[in-house]
Amino acid sequence: MHRFLTRALIAGCLTAAAALSALPASAEVRVFACEPEWASLAQEVGGGDVTVYSATHGGQDPHHIRARPSLIAQIRRADLLFCSGAELEIGWLPVLMQRGARIGIQPGQPGHLMAAEHVDVLERPAVIDRSLGDVHASGNPHVHVDPRNIRVLASELAARLGAIDPDRADAYQTRLADFHARWDNATAEWDARAEALRGTPLIVQHAYWAYLFDWLGLERVASMERVAGIPPSAPFLQEVLAHSRSTDVKAIIRANYEPTDAAEWLSERSGLPIVELPSTVGSYPEVSDLFSFFSEILTRLEAIPDQSASVPGFRQPTG
Ligand SMILES: [Zn+2]
C-alpha cells in the first residue's frame, strides 16, 4: 500500500511537471513593441517563449502614429511593453495605456520597458520646450541606432522577461548570452568598417541619426530641420544650402520614411548625393533583423562617393 502510494505520488508529480513544461500557447509572454527594432530584439531574446506584436512597421514615421482600435486590442493583452521612450510615443501611447492596459505594464512595473531610460540620452535640452513643436523635447529618442545601446537593452529585456516569467528566466539568460556573442562579433566587424567613415561630414534631414553619428564618429554639419519634427522652411533651407557650399560636405542623409522633396531641393542645388538609410528593421525587405539593419546602414554609407561638394554641377544619382 505504501509503495503504491509513493508510485502514485511520483506519477502525479511527473504529470504535473510535464504539464508545466508543455505550457499552452496562451502562457507565452506577450510583448507589445512600439517600434520594429524592439520587436526584433524581443524575438532574439524571447525566442519561442514570447509572442511579439509591433505597433508600427519600418515604413512609418515613428513620430506620428495613430492610436488605432487594433493597437488598443493588442495593448490590453500585453505582459511587456517595450518602447523607445523619451516621449517618442507621447502622441499615442498614453491614449492606449488608458484603454485597459494591464497593471503589469504600467510605469514602474517590470513589464514597462522604455529604452531611453537605460542608455545615455543625447541632445537632451536644458529646458523642455515643446512650444515650437519640437518632437525631441526630452532629448533624442532614436536610441536604437547604436549597437552598443542594443546590447544594453538586450540585457535589460532578458532581466524583465525573467521577472515576468520566472519559470523560464534561465532560458532568457541563455538566449541573451547567445545573442550577445553574435552581437559582439558583428559589432567588431562594423567597428572595423567604420574606420574609413570616421569624420565624414554630412547633412541630415532629421536628427534621427544622433546615436549613429556618435557611434561611428560621423560629423553632422547641419540638420535640415531647425526644430526637430518641423519641416524645413524655405529661408532655412537657403541657409543650409549656403552652409553646404562653404563646407566640405559629402552627402545628405534621409530616412526611408521621410518625404523626399526637401532633400531633393538641396541635392539639386548643392550637387550633394542623397543617401537614404533604413530607419529600423523592416524598412526594406533585406533589412529583416537588427544585424542586417546595421550592416545595410554601413553599406549605404560606404557607397558615398569621395567627391568634393564644391565641384560645380556634380550630381550623384540617389539611391
Ligand atoms: Zn526624431
Side-chain angles (χ1 to χ4, degrees):
M1 186 66 186
H2 177 71
R3 189 178 292 169
F4 171 78
L5 266 179
T6 308
R7 275 191 195 153
L9 274 171
I10 290 170
C13 288
L14 285 174
T15 308
L20 275 176
S21 62
L23 287 170
S26 60
E28 289 166 358
V29 176
R30 292 181 187 276
V31 178
F32 181 104
C34 289
E35 290 85 27
E37 60 269 21
W38 308 128
S40 189
L41 188 56
Q43 205 66 70
E44 294 277 0
V45 177
D49 295 326
V50 299
T51 52
V52 182
Y53 175 80
S54 180
T56 57
H57 61 73
Q60 281 177 295
D61 178 349
H63 309 85
H64 299 106
I65 303 296
R66 274 192 323 111
R68 303 189 310 275
S70 58
L71 296 184
I72 295 167
Q74 287 291 339
I75 208 160
R76 282 181 177 160
R77 308 162 73 194
D79 305 301
L80 178 85
L81 178 70
F82 192 5
C83 302
S84 293
E87 300 195 3
L88 178 61
E89 300 91 0
I90 197 171
W92 56 279
L93 188 57
V95 178
L96 295 187
M97 294 294 278
Q98 289 162 11
R99 302 286 188 87
R102 292 174 177 168
I103 294 289
I105 67 166
Q106 300 293 337
Q109 299 294 324
H112 186 91
L113 178 50
M114 296 288 128
E117 292 174 7
H118 300 276
V119 298
D120 290 332
V121 171
L122 302 176
E123 300 175 349
R124 214 188 270 278
V127 180
I128 292 182
D129 180 7
R130 298 184 191 87
S131 63
L132 296 171
D134 188 350
V135 294
H136 293 180
S138 288
N140 193 305
H142 309 296
V143 302
H144 68 291
V145 204
D146 181 337
R148 299 168 300 185
N149 289 349
I150 296 292
R151 192 183 203 287
V152 171
L153 267 307
S155 300
E156 187 61 33
L157 174 63
R160 300 297 187 95
L161 285 169
I164 293 165
D165 182 17
D167 288 348
R168 288 180 284 202
D170 288 348
Y172 298 123
Q173 288 301 324
T174 302
R175 245 182 253 110
L176 172 68
D178 174 64
F179 173 75
H180 271 169
R182 290 182 291 123
W183 196 248
D184 290 347
N185 276 339
T187 305
E189 254 175 57
W190 298 328
D191 283 338
R193 288 168 68 181
E195 280 305 316
L197 295 168
R198 282 197 201 291
T200 304
L202 301 163
I203 290 174
V204 298
Q205 182 158 339
H206 170 64
Y208 196 88
W209 312 106
Y211 298 87
L212 178 76
F213 277 45
D214 182 60
W215 168 50
L216 295 178
L218 304 171
E219 185 196 342
R220 188 170 91 186
V221 172
S223 170
M224 289 165 60
E225 295 176 349
R226 190 195 294 274
V227 176
I230 302 297
S233 65
F236 187 64
L237 272 185
Q238 290 287 356
E239 272 180 46
V240 175
L241 175 62
H243 191 47
S244 75
R245 284 175 170 155
S246 65
T247 319
D248 180 27
V249 187
K250 300 296 183 195
I252 301 160
I253 305 294
R254 55 172 284 274
N256 61 292
Y257 69 81
E258 289 176 311
T260 56
D261 48 349
E264 280 170 1
W265 182 93
L266 185 61
S267 174
E268 278 162 19
R269 283 154 186 82
S270 65
L272 291 169
I274 298 170
V275 177
E276 182 185 294
L277 297 182
S279 59
T280 182
V281 175
S283 291
Y284 313 123
E286 64 272 27
V287 180
S288 56
D289 59 15
L290 288 161
F291 292 88
S292 45
F293 171 57
F294 284 101
S295 184
E296 182 67 20
I297 286 176
L298 280 167
T299 300
R300 287 175 179 241
L301 290 175
E302 285 163 348
I304 294 173
D306 188 21
Q307 172 80 51
S308 171
S310 58
V311 176
F314 171 73
R315 177 84 170 89
Q316 187 72 19
T318 60

